[in-house]
Amino acid sequence: MLRYVRVDTEAELLDALRKDGAQLLSGGTDLLVKMRSGLVRPKSLVDPAAVAELRGIETAGGALRIGTATPLSEILASKEVRERAPLLVDVLRVLGCVQIRNRGTLGGNLANASPAADSAIPLLLYEANLELAGGDGARNVPVGGFFLGPGRTVLQHGEYIRAVRIPASRQNWIPFFHKVGRRRALTIAIASIGGLAAVSQGRATEVRLAAGSVAPIPLRLKSAEEWLAGRALDRETIQHAGALAAGEVSPIDDVRATAAYRRAVTGDLVVRFLEGAAAA
Ligand SMILES: Cc1cc2nc3c(=O)[nH]c(=O)nc-3n(C[C@H](O)[C@H](O)[C@H](O)COP(=O)(O)OP(=O)(O)OC[C@H]3O[C@@H](n4cnc5c(N)ncnc54)[C@H](O)[C@@H]3O)c2cc1C
């Protein structure tokens, strides 16, 4: 028989997750779908919604700490998040629908480790850190080092993501996020590109680029970023950055799109972002 366990403290959470077949249940918007299709068969579902360390949004010295069991809709409504990490808000606005955002969490979106996990894109761009906790204590992992492959992360048995920490960042970033899907609303990305650009007098001081659904994990597009650093954002530079980005991804053919289409979209979206940043 499947057991539902609601815990009130981190000590209870650790204890409950140690048990054979225990699985953390946050919003359930990924997990219940997998359970229904028989992909996972937990013996108990451990609900951390009442654990204070996993809830809420705090700021300290310009940095943000978001508990991973905080519903996405709460993050979307937060003034602090809008001020300090506006791209995260832009992305959450198009993650699922109201009902999904009322239930879904950052913890679930990240731990589910889909290559299409939308929240991973702004978190990669803001160079967020994940606070992990488990039986052996707590550790910090950069979000860029968290994903190992589709459905696979560095989380050990009994370990969970307690919070996301977004460091203080530039105020003058030009943000970009675009997700290409098969329909306009409630869509899983065929490809998505996010970016942050700091531009001064037509020159890219710094550009960060991240892509989803075009590789086994959401990733930063480092060779395009390095090419752009310090360069004037002219037509040739932008086109070359698009080509570098397209060459950096390793998409697959699947039911939603071909690899060739995903690669082309990656390059095109990078070009679109940079053209906009150059004109801003
Ligand atoms: C109709 C629909 C539309 C969707 N649209 C999108 C979309 O546009 N973009 C997108 O990215 N996703 C989308 N999703 C997927 C899903 O809603 C999100 O990934 C959501 O953020 C998952 O969060 P959750 O709290 O519901 O996770 P859950 O389902 O509770 O958990 C998912 C997995 O993460 C684990 N887990 C949960 N919390 C933690 C934690 N704190 N630490 C460690 N492990 C944890 C669980 O054990 C489970 O394995 C959609 C889903 C549905 C059903």
Side-chain angles (χ1 to χ4, degrees):
M1 194 183 59
L2 179 65
R3 288 184 67 226
Y4 169 80
V5 185
R6 180 147 179 145
V7 290
D8 291 319
T9 65
E10 274 207 290
E12 288 173 11
L13 176 59
L14 283 170
D15 206 39
L17 287 178
R18 229 176 262 134
K19 306 235 160 62
D20 179 43
Q23 183 139 12
L24 212 134
L25 168 84
S26 289
T29 61
D30 275 318
L31 184 56
L32 294 187
V33 177
K34 285 189 175 168
M35 286 172 64
R36 279 200 162 192
S37 53
L39 284 172
V40 289
R41 297 176 196 281
K43 291 183 186 159
S44 59
L45 295 176
V46 183
D47 184 344
V51 178
E53 289 84 347
L54 276 74
R55 289 299 293 241
I57 299 162
E58 290 160 32
T59 53
L64 269 174
R65 179 190 187 278
I66 306 175
T68 46
T70 310
L72 299 174
S73 52
E74 220 173 282
I75 302 171
L76 195 53
S78 156
K79 188 168 164 281
E80 286 88 352
V81 179
R82 211 175 323 123
E83 278 169 11
R84 292 176 163 83
L87 189 64
L88 177 59
V89 171
D90 293 346
V91 170
L92 295 186
R93 234 180 242 132
V94 291
L95 193 157
C97 55
V98 172
Q99 292 87 339
I100 292 293
R101 293 192 291 266
N102 284 345
R103 294 289 315 163
T105 63
L106 285 183
N109 195 234
L110 296 169
N112 190 55
S114 161
D118 283 331
S119 75
I121 301 296
L123 296 179
L124 280 167
L125 292 168
Y126 285 125
E127 303 190 332
N129 282 298
L130 304 181
E131 208 178 294
L132 309 187
D136 294 333
R139 58 182 175 134
N140 286 312
V141 172
V143 88
F146 178 71
F147 302 108
L148 297 178
R152 292 192 305 120
T153 71
V154 299
L155 284 173
Q156 302 289 316
H157 175 72
E159 201 175 29
Y160 55 90
I161 320 169
R162 186 196 273 153
V164 172
R165 286 181 182 277
I166 300 177
S169 189
R170 290 174 187 273
Q171 291 296 303
N172 63 341
W173 284 124
I174 299 167
F176 178 86
F177 179 73
H178 193 94
K179 145 159 111 164
V180 175
R182 295 194 72 163
R183 44 177 194 243
R184 275 181 174 219
L186 204 59
T187 193
I188 304 287
I190 286 173
S192 60
I193 291 289
L196 293 173
V199 180
S200 172
Q201 293 172 339
R203 200 168 281 279
T205 318
E206 187 181 356
V207 177
R208 297 180 185 176
L209 299 164
S213 286
V214 288
I217 58 173
L219 77 168
R220 286 277 289 271
L221 302 173
K222 286 284 183 187
S223 52
E225 289 182 0
E226 279 160 24
W227 162 258
L228 287 162
R231 287 183 193 269
L233 287 177
D234 55 35
R235 202 177 135 76
E236 289 75 47
T237 300
I238 289 176
Q239 289 297 331
H240 189 64
L244 285 173
E248 222 170 331
V249 298
S250 49
I252 54 165
D253 294 323
D254 70 10
V255 286
R256 280 177 284 137
T258 63
Y261 178 72
R262 289 187 154 105
R263 196 182 289 285
V265 164
T266 301
D268 288 353
L269 288 178
V270 166
V271 167
R272 189 193 296 185
F273 166 45
L274 295 173
E275 284 175 349

